[in-house]
Amino acid sequence: THGRELLAEARGHSVSRVETAVTVFDNGGQLRNSNRAASEAVALLGIEVDATTYDTLMAQMQEKATEENSHQEQDGGMDFTFLTDKGELVYSIRPRPILDNRGREIGRLLLGWDITDNARIIRSLEVNAGMDSLTGLSNRRKLEQDKQALDRPDQLPLAVIEGDLNNLKLVNDTK
């Protein structure tokens, strides 16, 4: 039993020090534990994690997130964008089951990572992919994306006018 106590203490010590936000819920969805990173993350958002259930915590995060940039991933997790006093923050939240020795779910982990820097890089790449680097104007890729976005019944009728300014096409097509 001393070995099990030591192992439990080591696990607790390790989880409290990681940068990943870790929140533990029992099978009934009641909060059982959370590490420092989880406490700091929810404090930024004004959520009381110590007095909540899994469903309440998820609902509060969805309520505080800016809808236009938050989306659900294929693995059941969600990426949330929040506006805070520190600016825009993006968190990736992933639920994971806690299984016993027989493979039965006995609880749930909620893991979270601050992916703000990655989200900014991706956003910048998406903008630059649709822009001509020489002129700063939208390129053909962006035009196709915009056409698809506008190809909806509520946007019809739609007209697109294309033109050649000062033989720019001839200059661009010259090698």
Side-chain angles (χ1 to χ4, degrees), residues 54-73:
Y54 175 83
D55 291 337
T56 303
L57 179 61
M58 291 301 290
Q60 287 181 27
M61 283 193 292
Q62 288 175 339
E63 181 180 306
K64 299 225 179 230
T66 58
E67 291 183 35
E68 64 272 6
N69 292 325
S70 301
H71 61 278
Q72 186 151 3
E73 297 292 326

Side-chain angles (χ1 to χ4, degrees), residues 9-20:
E9 183 66 28
R11 284 182 182 150
H13 182 73
S14 297
V15 168
S16 69
R17 301 248 189 268
V18 297
E19 294 298 317
T20 301

Side-chain angles (χ1 to χ4, degrees), residues 128-160:
N128 288 329
M131 182 186 311
D132 180 81
S133 60
L134 180 63
T135 64
L137 299 173
S138 296
N139 61 19
R140 181 172 286 154
R141 181 179 186 273
K142 177 73 169 131
L143 176 64
E144 291 299 322
Q145 288 176 337
D146 290 348
K147 280 185 358 186
Q148 286 179 354
L150 293 172
D151 190 17
R152 300 187 327 242
D154 64 322
Q155 296 288 338
L156 299 176
L158 174 68
V160 176

Side-chain angles (χ1 to χ4, degrees), residues 3-161:
R4 286 184 186 190
E5 291 171 10
L6 182 60
L7 182 59
E9 183 66 28
R11 284 182 182 150
H13 182 73
S14 297
V15 168
S16 69
R17 301 248 189 268
V18 297
E19 294 298 317
T20 301
V22 179
T23 308
V24 181
F25 298 90
D26 64 21
N27 221 14
Q30 296 296 312
L31 176 76
R32 291 298 172 209
N33 202 351
S34 62
N35 69 353
R36 175 192 47 79
S39 298
E40 290 172 359
V42 296
L44 276 173
L45 306 174
I47 297 173
E48 294 292 328
V49 72
D50 292 333
T52 192
T53 63
Y54 175 83
D55 291 337
T56 303
L57 179 61
M58 291 301 290
Q60 287 181 27
M61 283 193 292
Q62 288 175 339
E63 181 180 306
K64 299 225 179 230
T66 58
E67 291 183 35
E68 64 272 6
N69 292 325
S70 301
H71 61 278
Q72 186 151 3
E73 297 292 326
Q74 291 178 342
D75 67 356
M78 293 199 61
D79 291 347
F80 292 103
T81 301
F82 303 102
L83 297 177
T84 70
D85 294 340
K86 292 185 172 186
E88 184 179 90
L89 296 176
V90 183
Y91 276 88
S92 180
I93 308 295
R94 300 289 184 267
R96 297 291 183 256
I98 301 172
L99 306 176
D100 68 9
N101 293 343
R102 296 183 188 146
R104 295 179 299 195
E105 187 172 332
I106 58 172
R108 183 177 290 186
L109 289 174
L110 195 59
L111 306 173
W113 299 268
D114 180 349
I115 61 167
T116 304
D117 290 338
N118 291 353
R120 285 186 185 132
I121 291 168
I122 290 169
R123 200 170 302 135
S124 174
L125 290 171
E126 288 171 346
V127 167
N128 288 329
M131 182 186 311
D132 180 81
S133 60
L134 180 63
T135 64
L137 299 173
S138 296
N139 61 19
R140 181 172 286 154
R141 181 179 186 273
K142 177 73 169 131
L143 176 64
E144 291 299 322
Q145 288 176 337
D146 290 348
K147 280 185 358 186
Q148 286 179 354
L150 293 172
D151 190 17
R152 300 187 327 242
D154 64 322
Q155 296 288 338
L156 299 176
L158 174 68
V160 176
I161 300 173

